[in-house]
Each structure stands twice: as C-alpha cells, then as structure tokens.
Amino acid sequence: MRIPRLAWPLLALAALMSFNLFFTDGFFHIEIRDGRLFGSLIDVLDRAAPVMLVAIGMTLVIATAGVDLSVGAVMAVSGAVAACVIARPEYSVLSGVPGGGSAAIAILLALGVAGCIGAANGVLVSAAGVQPIVATLIFMVAGRGIAQLLTDGQVVEFRSAAMATLGNGFFLGLPVGVSVVAGALLAVGALTRGTALGLFVAAIGANARASRHAGVPAGVIKVVVYTVCGLLAGIAGVLVSADINAADANSTGLYVELDAILAVVLGGTALTGGRFSLIGSMIGAVLIQSVTTTILSRGVAVEYTLIVKAGIIVVVCLLQSPRFRRGAGGLVRRRSP
Amino acid sequence: MMERLLRVHGPIIATVAVAVVLYVLAGVLYDGFFSLRVFAGFFGDNAFLGIAAIGMTFVIISGGIDLSVGAVVGCSSILIATLVEVGEWHPLTALLVALVFGVSLGVTMGALIHAFDLPPFIVTLGGMFFARGLGFVIHQEPIALRHPFFSDLYELPARVAEPLGVLLPAPAVILLVMLAVGLYLGRWTRIGRAVYAVGGDEDSARLMGVPVGRTKIAVYGFSGLCSALAGGVYTLYTFSGNASAGTMLELDAIAAAVIGGTLLSGGVGSVLGTMLGVLIFGIIQTAIVFDGSLSSWWTRIVIGGLLLAFILIQRLLQTSLAGRGR
C-alpha cells in the first residue's frame, strides 16, 4: 500500500490537535469581535506566518536539491532597511521624502535588497557552481553584520500607520500576516502548478544532468528560485519588524532558516530534491508553531519546547526514512505470518 | 606534479597568505600589535571556538555537518557550573560528566545518521534543539564560578612558564593539545584515514573494507567530545556557566573550517587549516579592538567576504586544473 506523502505530517498535526481538544481548555474557541477572528488557532497561524513565508521559498530551493541558510540574516537586513528608511533622517534621501520616509518606499527598498541577496545566492550557485550550503553560508555570516551596521547595533524604533496595519491589522477577518502568507502561497502555487516551472524545479532536483539534456534552463531557474526565496524572507522580515514597530538586527529571524528547513522536511519534501509539496511545508510550519503554543498554553516551562521539538524531528525523520520503514515493516510481517 | 601540489595545497597556501597579510597589515596600522602577548591572545580568546572547530573539521571531512556544536558548548558549560556551584562537585568530575554527555549525544546522532540513512543536517539540528533545551532546563540563569580550582588552573601555565617569558593562558594550552590530538588522529591513525575515505566516496570506501558506520559514529562522537570540552574551556575562560553560551558558534566553526581549506563536500581538509581559520578570526577581532573606531560587526562582514573569496579561489583551482588535466 502506498501511503500518501502528506499523511505523516497531517497525522502528527491531527494527534496534536486532538490532544488539545481534550486537554487544553478553549484551544478551539474562536470568537468574532468587530468582524475579526480571535482564538488560539488564529494565534498559531499569525505567529507561524514568518516561518510559513520563508518555508514557501525554502521548499522551492530544497526542491532544486539546494538549501538557503541565509534567510534569517536576510530577514534581519530587510527589517533593518525598512526601519532605517522610515525612522532615520539620514536615510530619507533614499525615500525621497525629507525627514522620515514613507512606508511604501521603505518596504520596496527592503524587498529590493532582500531580492538582490537572493539573486546573488542564485548566481553563486548556478554560475559559479558553488555548493548551495556554502554559497548561502556567506550571507548567513555577513548578513547579520550588515544589518547591525545599518542600525548601529541599536533597536531602531519607528512609527508608521501603514506598518502598524501590516503588523497588527486585520484583512477579511484574519490578521494581515496570515493574508500575506495566503497571497504568497497562491502566487507561488499558481506559478509552480499552473506553469511548467514547478516541473522544471523538481526535474533539476531529481536529476540535474538529465534535466539539462532535456533542455531545462537550470541556471536561470535556480537564480529565479533563490531570488523568490530571498524576496519572501524579505517580506517576513518586514512583517516581523512591523509587528513590534522596531527592527532588532540581533534577534530578527534568528534560527528561522532552521525552522523553515524543518517545516519543509516535516512536510515531506526530501532534502535531496525532486518532488515538493508547498502545502506540506505549510502543514510543517503550523505543526512547529502548534507545538510551541500548546506547550505555552499548558503552562509548561518554555525551555521544554526545544526538547519536544528535538523529539518530533527524530520521530518524523525516522517515519520518513525508507530504511526505518523497511525495518519496521519487516517486524510487522514477522509478527503476523 | 606542480599542478597536483597546487590543487591539494592551493587553498591552504591562500589561507596562509591571507593570515600573513592581515597580520602584517594590522601590525603596521596599530602600535603594539606585533607583541607576543597579542599573538597568544589570538588563540586564548578563541580557544573554545578552535576546539569546537577541530571536531567540526572531522565531521565535515567525513561528508557530514554538525549543527549541535554551539548548543553542546552551552549545555556543557551550564552543566559544569551547576554541578560545581550547586552540587558542590569537584570541577574535574563535573567536566568528566559533561564530556560523557557530549560523546553520548554525538554517538547517538551518528548512530541515527548511519543506521537510518538520515540527513546529518536534520539529525544534528534535532541534537542542537535538544542540547540547548536541556541547558535551559538544567539552569536558566548564568552562574558565576567561585571555586578556586578555575582561577588556579587558568594561571597555572603562566606560572610554570614564567621564567621562560611565555604567557599562554590555560585555554590556549588546551587548544594546542587538542590541535596535536587532531593532527595525530587525522594524519597517522587508521580511523583518521577512514574519515577521509568515507568523505571522499562512501561507496568506494565500503567496497575497500573501510568500516563506514563505525567511522561515522566515531566522528560525531569526537565532535561531541570537542564541543563539550569547548564548553568546559568557555567556563574556564569566563569564570561562569551560561546555557546560552555558544549561540551560532557552529556557524563560526564551519566558517573557520571552510576558510582553512576544508571542502564541505567532504574528503578534503585538515585540522591545521582550520586552526589558520581560527587565527584569522582572532586577527580580525583583535585588529577591530585595537582600532577602536570600527564596530565589532565588521568581523562578521569581513569573514563573509573572506568566505566568498576562498570559495571562489577553490572553485577556480578545481575547474582550471580539471580542465588542463583533460
């Protein structure tokens, strides 16, 4: 019997949710206030939004048999750029508005920088032929330094109505962050499933040489994929900064690359590339955040979150490992002749 | 012959050149940079990074990666401090417990990676979450160490070597000892050659009769040992235990190894090169302190730039030599 790829992450999520249904009071309680949805589940989605955004791009990168370690640093850079353009007079030359820039220009610049870093990663990987893990290591190391340099190592606070809406506003009853994720997911989903792009991406990851002989423009597609990944990380950085009305180059996006890679792997996309599932990655990201929220809402100390996370990683990895399944299958067969 | 020499030693020659250029440049720019005390500081202040990087080098040469390094440093540091200050254990016994913990975690990760063919990246990510979480479970707040053993040990090498005029703090001595151990393991032992063989081509290594599984498990165990020892050295260096010590240290360790000519694809690299990478870290950090007007974030940016340069040099050497060989 072939088990559908989404079965394991969905099963894990369902197990966690049914635990909450019975043991955590009011976890599924959702109320509508002023046409807006409130509740733990909405909270999970809202908090998972940055990792979900990054995981969309990471899924594509991993599908090409690559990996992008720089996304956390890119988030820090993009948050720093946006905050500096809005709050620092010396950067207002860039925004064209004297004394405090407009949020729209700040976000555009932030995303521009993030996209450029992504494109640079892509060029290093495809044109220079550098291993993805090494190529993106460069900006993982340097990126946070650049962000610190932009902000002089301080937390840059800003006030902007548009950014406040982005961080804490609602759109169609849902937090804006969740809507942004939905929009990005729809756009990337349409691009990869509606056109041949998705097929090309998976082909490069499954067999780079065969896809090159088949005429797939691997170089161009890799640059595009890494650029999209950088852009999405940039959006996540702006969202995180908008949420706290400040940019903190030290903590913005710390360890996000690891959470995003974990979400992608939990969602059933193999690190070796090939077929990928955007929905699976989203389930993975929600699963990670649900664990954290469940632990918090049960009053268990935060430090246990990490240990539980470690356990989940081991269990899900084992379940997805062909060798483990063969071994476990053998045990089952031997017991029931 | 010449080309082979260049391909094998090209990256490390470039690393030596960069280290020398940086050192001379900083020495010319800043007064007093050329002193022996400053040079000893390069190693003393980065001893825990260096020790962790030695273990990381072997993991990378074997074709894997170990993300748990920084978390194990933090966990071992807080474990030692808690046992000594709260449990009133002797520091050496506490260190032994930490080392056993590091080795066990490493061996467990190695066994999972080998037995179930799991990606090292994800398994050691799990190890990282586990060790970091465990550290905070043991004790959340940093603990200051008052046990006299630590200050005695810290000053011991300096007091012994006083007449010789050499000033090496204990962390630097421990680093040099580990460097010697790493060099010996890598050059002159069966297991060391097995690590290179496994990293170069796992299937060929298996066909040649190299015990692939045992080698991989040993490599992660050794890395765990190095990280736990690095945690002990961190505790000795700062006179405190801290569960959040070594945050992102794995990144610096990987960067030091890559700058030192170790290829992340496995099979190529040396502990000596990694030590040069750590030396470059030390030179840049110290130069920034000497300058006074540069912010410390330049360290990361310069390291990022160096990474880029080295990676491109390595690619260039590989492709040009491969092209000429054909």
Side-chain angles (χ1 to χ4, degrees):
Chain A
M1 187 188 73
R2 212 183 132 266
I3 307 165
R5 270 187 312 155
L6 289 184
W8 291 118
L10 270 178
L11 203 68
L13 192 62
L16 191 67
M17 285 301 163
S18 44
F19 173 83
N20 278 320
L21 182 62
F22 291 113
F23 296 105
T24 311
D25 285 336
F27 195 85
F28 285 87
H29 184 74
I30 292 179
E31 64 176 320
I32 302 173
R33 258 183 269 155
D34 312 330
R36 297 165 179 183
L37 296 167
F38 284 94
S40 291
L41 284 178
I42 306 297
D43 209 39
V44 165
L45 285 179
D46 192 25
R47 281 174 188 276
V51 173
M52 286 167 95
L53 273 174
V54 173
I56 294 174
M58 190 69 82
T59 310
L60 297 182
V61 169
I62 289 180
T64 65
V67 73
D68 188 348
L69 296 181
S70 70
V71 283
V74 170
M75 278 178 69
V77 172
S78 116
V81 169
C84 285
V85 172
I86 293 174
R88 294 265 171 98
E90 65 264 33
Y91 287 91
S92 63
V93 186
L94 295 171
S95 62
V97 187
S102 82
I105 293 170
I107 294 173
L108 273 181
L109 276 174
L111 297 191
V113 171
C116 285
I117 296 180
N121 283 335
V123 168
L124 269 179
V125 170
S126 62
V130 179
Q131 277 173 288
I133 193 169
V134 186
T136 56
L137 183 69
I138 294 167
F139 271 110
M140 186 187 186
V141 172
R144 219 165 269 284
I146 295 171
Q148 298 271 28
L149 213 61
L150 285 172
T151 60
D152 293 329
Q154 292 160 345
V155 176
V156 179
E157 293 179 27
F158 54 82
R159 236 176 287 163
S160 152
M163 289 292 269
T165 315
L166 203 56
N168 300 307
F170 283 81
F171 180 73
L172 296 177
L174 286 169
V176 172
V178 180
S179 314
V180 171
V181 173
L185 185 62
L186 278 177
V188 175
L191 265 178
T192 52
R193 296 289 177 236
T195 70
L197 193 64
L199 186 70
F200 288 171
V201 166
I204 295 170
N207 192 333
R209 180 175 286 182
S211 66
R212 200 172 61 238
H213 288 311
V216 175
V220 179
I221 286 177
K222 276 188 186 169
V223 174
V224 169
V225 162
Y226 280 90
T227 309
V228 167
C229 189
L231 261 180
L232 288 168
I235 298 175
V238 170
L239 268 186
V240 168
S241 300
D243 191 32
I244 55 171
N245 284 318
D248 182 354
N250 247 333
S251 67
T252 304
L254 196 62
Y255 292 127
V256 156
E257 57 281 344
L258 301 180
D259 273 342
I261 294 169
L262 184 58
V264 173
V265 172
L266 290 180
T269 303
L271 277 180
T272 43
R275 285 197 309 164
F276 61 96
S277 164
L278 289 171
I279 297 292
S281 303
M282 296 301 98
I283 295 171
V286 172
L287 180 63
I288 296 172
Q289 185 57 46
S290 306
V291 171
T292 313
T293 306
T294 303
I295 288 176
L296 286 180
S297 62
R298 296 200 51 75
V300 181
V302 194
E303 50 268 28
Y304 285 97
T305 321
L306 289 171
I307 296 184
V308 173
K309 243 184 189 173
I312 292 177
I313 294 175
V314 171
V315 171
V316 174
C317 276
L318 283 181
L319 287 176
Q320 287 175 350
S321 148
R323 210 182 276 179
F324 179 80
R325 280 204 222 166
R326 236 179 292 137
L331 279 181
V332 173
R333 266 196 298 278
R334 246 172 278 153
R335 272 186 205 153
S336 53
Chain B
M1 185 60 205
M2 190 61 208
E3 286 174 11
R4 209 190 105 74
L5 207 71
L6 202 63
R7 186 172 57 204
V8 176
H9 298 292
I12 201 135
I13 293 170
T15 313
V16 173
V18 166
V20 170
V21 166
L22 279 176
Y23 185 60
V24 170
L25 200 68
V28 169
L29 280 176
Y30 310 115
D31 281 338
F33 201 86
F34 278 137
S35 77
L36 201 60
R37 183 186 286 271
V38 170
F39 192 79
F42 295 150
F43 293 102
D45 297 336
N46 283 302
F48 56 96
L49 168 63
I51 294 170
I54 289 172
M56 180 70 87
T57 306
F58 278 101
V59 174
I60 295 177
I61 292 172
S62 83
I65 198 150
D66 187 353
L67 297 182
S68 72
V69 163
V72 172
V73 167
C75 187
S76 125
S77 154
I78 196 71
L79 181 64
I80 294 172
T82 309
L83 287 178
V84 171
E85 289 297 322
V86 182
E88 299 190 339
W89 289 36
H90 189 271
L92 283 179
T93 334
L95 176 67
L96 193 68
V97 173
L99 293 182
V100 168
F101 163 75
V103 173
S104 324
L105 183 67
V107 166
T108 310
M109 292 190 301
L112 278 173
I113 290 165
H114 170 67
F116 300 112
D117 212 9
L118 298 176
F121 194 91
I122 295 295
V123 174
T124 56
L125 175 62
M128 167 185 147
F129 284 141
F130 177 76
R132 190 63 80 194
L134 190 66
F136 281 111
V137 168
I138 292 171
H139 207 281
Q140 269 206 311
E141 306 298 323
I143 301 176
L145 286 164
R146 283 179 296 272
H147 200 289
F149 177 82
F150 289 95
S151 45
D152 288 350
L153 179 63
Y154 192 84
E155 285 159 11
L156 181 68
R159 247 188 303 149
V160 170
E162 187 84 80
L164 301 171
V166 188
L167 286 165
L168 272 182
V173 174
I174 300 175
L175 173 65
L176 292 180
V177 170
M178 284 310 285
L179 174 63
V181 171
L183 276 177
Y184 173 74
L185 281 177
R187 292 262 166 100
W188 288 289
T189 62
R190 193 180 286 253
I191 183 89
R193 281 193 297 272
V195 172
Y196 281 90
V198 170
D201 190 331
E202 198 174 317
D203 292 324
S204 310
R206 188 174 288 120
L207 289 174
M208 286 192 302
V210 174
V212 173
R214 232 191 308 152
T215 307
K216 275 190 178 178
I217 293 171
V219 157
Y220 287 94
F222 182 67
S223 177
L225 178 83
C226 286
S227 313
L229 184 65
V233 169
Y234 175 90
T235 317
L236 176 66
Y237 177 66
T238 60
F239 290 105
S240 70
N242 190 346
S244 57
T247 304
M248 288 277 166
L249 187 77
E250 54 277 353
L251 195 61
D252 292 342
I254 297 171
V258 170
I259 289 177
T262 300
L263 294 187
L264 276 163
S265 44
V268 180
S270 79
V271 176
L272 206 60
T274 303
M275 217 37 58
L276 282 168
V278 174
L279 183 68
I280 290 177
F281 257 91
I283 294 174
I284 295 170
Q285 281 166 353
T286 317
I288 284 170
V289 172
F290 265 73
D291 186 274
S293 65
L294 289 170
S295 64
S296 62
W297 308 296
W298 277 105
T299 312
R300 315 231 98 200
I301 299 175
V302 173
I303 292 289
L306 281 179
L307 269 177
L308 176 64
F310 276 99
I311 289 159
L312 290 180
I313 289 172
Q314 286 176 3
R315 284 299 305 173
L316 218 65
L317 280 174
Q318 279 172 342
T319 47
S320 71
L321 290 172
R324 229 185 290 171
R326 230 167 257 160

